[in-house]
Amino acid sequence: MSQHVGYRDLRRTEAENYARDFVPVIPAPLAADLIELAAPEPGEFVVDVACGTGVVARLAAERVGATGKVVGIDLVPEMLAVAEKVSASVDTPMEWREAPADALPLPDESYDLVLCQLGLMFFPDRSAAVREMRRVLSPGGRVAINVPGTMPRLFKVMADALGHHINPDLPGFLRGVFSLGRDELRRLLRDADFQHVAVNTAAKTLRLPPPAQFLWQYLQVTPIAGLVMAAEPERRMALEDDVVAGWQEFLDGDSLVVELPIITATAQE
């Protein structure tokens, strides 16, 4: 059982696992691209919606500097606590607020830039969330959003194995991750009266940990973690064996390499 890495460190909080295991391999590389696209400027006020543990917010803070301001908003207080802890030494004024994306606790027309990374596809009311983004933007303000595109085969292998070995409903979570397409994203922004809407898709090459390690690092930071870890050890081991076998085609040395399609959108108030 010691070879099945997913059975270790289950006492760590989900937020700590997320910051330690997941952020460096997927959110951090994508955050850097999103910040380059959004181009925060010194002195700007920035909102990061669904900020998680704050990787996008911290990169924005580096750009806006001490004369700017960054507010991170998330529904999960544990995520915000980790974000605040790891951002303690940042010179830029930063605030962390617990709130839903469709009811941002911010005044009208008060921010220059709204960022949202890997979150919009999960919001119960996507339209309301995008309208809130526009509401808090000052005249001429802008928004930059990214979401995953079409589900790549690497994730399909994991989804199929979860449904087969653990619970037939679990693949629905992974389908949700990849559920927001280009056309809907463009429509959401236009329906909220954003201008100069630009939506693009590009493949991001990601180098991930070895198969068994990545499988459990990923699953342990998802909402389905409890259901997976509650399954009998034999079923978890069968899940791992199937996924590791199915991921051999993505191996480069000890690492997995995946081309992840990323949809990015920008628009102006």
Side-chain angles (χ1 to χ4, degrees), residues 149-173:
T150 305
M151 185 190 294
R153 176 168 157 71
L154 182 140
F155 284 90
K156 290 180 181 177
V157 168
M158 179 164 51
D160 290 345
L162 283 166
H164 180 68
H165 294 290
I166 307 297
N167 185 308
D169 294 330
L170 294 188
F173 167 75

Side-chain angles (χ1 to χ4, degrees), residues 39-257:
E41 297 182 358
E44 286 194 316
F45 282 25
V46 180
V47 183
D48 180 13
V49 180
C51 66
T53 54
V55 60
V56 170
R58 287 190 295 278
L59 290 177
E62 292 176 3
R63 296 291 192 99
V64 303
T67 59
K69 177 182 177 181
V70 178
V71 175
I73 295 175
D74 202 278
L75 266 181
V76 183
E78 293 81 5
M79 291 283 194
L80 295 171
V82 173
E84 185 171 16
K85 179 180 178 181
V86 299
S87 306
S89 62
V90 176
D91 292 334
T92 302
M94 302 189 76
E95 298 178 11
W96 308 98
R97 301 191 186 181
E98 181 183 348
D102 58 3
L104 300 178
L106 304 170
D108 295 353
E109 300 185 358
S110 53
Y111 286 80
D112 304 294
L113 172 63
V114 174
L115 302 167
C116 184
Q117 166 155 292
L118 303 179
L120 184 56
M121 65 279 189
F122 293 128
F123 298 163
D125 191 334
R126 295 168 177 173
S127 295
V130 174
R131 290 196 300 270
E132 276 291 272
M133 294 177 192
R134 186 180 184 279
R135 178 186 66 79
V136 303
L137 282 174
S138 301
R142 60 207 190 280
V143 64
I145 298 167
N146 69 14
V147 296
T150 305
M151 185 190 294
R153 176 168 157 71
L154 182 140
F155 284 90
K156 290 180 181 177
V157 168
M158 179 164 51
D160 290 345
L162 283 166
H164 180 68
H165 294 290
I166 307 297
N167 185 308
D169 294 330
L170 294 188
F173 167 75
L174 286 173
R175 287 194 291 269
V177 173
F178 300 92
S179 65
L180 180 52
R182 287 178 51 145
D183 291 345
E184 182 181 356
L185 184 51
R186 182 181 291 107
R187 178 186 60 77
L188 287 167
L189 290 165
R190 287 179 173 169
D191 286 352
D193 292 328
F194 275 101
Q195 306 299 313
H196 308 295
V197 176
V199 181
N200 296 287
T201 303
K204 180 70 173 180
T205 302
L206 297 172
R207 181 168 289 271
L208 308 175
Q213 181 180 343
F214 177 68
L215 170 67
W216 295 109
Q217 285 180 347
Y218 183 86
L219 289 178
Q220 286 178 23
V221 301
T222 68
I224 64 173
L227 291 172
V228 175
M229 295 307 168
E232 294 85 352
E234 294 79 10
R235 292 167 65 188
R236 297 198 303 265
M237 292 173 68
L239 166 69
E240 180 178 312
D241 289 342
D242 260 16
V243 172
V244 170
W247 281 354
Q248 292 303 300
E249 65 184 275
F250 302 103
L251 277 176
D252 180 15
D254 291 332
S255 301
L256 292 167
V257 176

